[in-house]
Amino acid sequence: MRLLAIWIINALALLALPYVVPSVHVASFGTALIVALVLGLINAVLRPLLVLLTLPVTLLTLGLFIFVINALLFQLAGYLVDGFNVGGFWPALFGSVVYSVISWVLSAVFLSAKGK
């Protein structure tokens, strides 16, 4: 049940994203659900491998290269899912950061209130 709640929260965060980053477009709630699922799969499968392969660069940049990896994976989701468009690298970078913050805030509000 918690996994389903997190999936819906991430979809809601994706729906809120175009209001903050205008170069990111989400067509509908169904598209947001698919993108949330694809982003979850990409982050579970590809992200650990990329972080491991780019560890020297990540250490040299004091961890800031992780933002580049997140932006590229966010852009990859934009290429894979119809109805989800990312306008380039910088919108992907800002979009991935804002998506993470919105998702974190929504999770903190809804999941912590549910646990009490």
Side-chain angles (χ1 to χ4, degrees):
M1 192 65 154
R2 183 174 168 86
L3 186 61
L4 181 63
I6 291 172
W7 183 35
I8 292 172
I9 286 171
N10 287 339
L12 291 173
L14 281 166
L15 283 177
L17 193 59
Y19 295 104
V20 181
V21 183
S23 298
V24 176
H25 301 285
V26 181
S28 66
F29 183 67
T31 302
L33 285 172
I34 293 169
V35 173
L37 181 66
V38 168
L39 278 173
L41 291 173
I42 286 173
N43 284 331
V45 176
L46 285 179
R47 189 174 187 272
L49 180 65
L50 289 175
V51 169
L52 184 64
L53 290 175
T54 61
L55 190 59
V57 176
T58 304
L59 291 174
L60 283 174
T61 61
L62 303 175
L64 292 176
F65 195 72
I66 296 292
F67 288 110
V68 173
I69 292 172
N70 287 343
L72 293 173
L73 294 177
F74 198 75
Q75 246 183 333
L76 176 64
Y79 289 127
L80 293 176
V81 179
D82 289 333
F84 179 61
N85 299 321
V86 181
F89 175 75
W90 291 108
L93 181 69
F94 297 129
S96 65
V97 170
V98 171
Y99 168 68
S100 297
V101 169
I102 293 171
S103 178
W104 174 69
V105 168
L106 288 176
S107 295
V109 168
F110 289 116
L111 296 181
S112 68
K114 185 180 176 184
K116 290 184 179 179

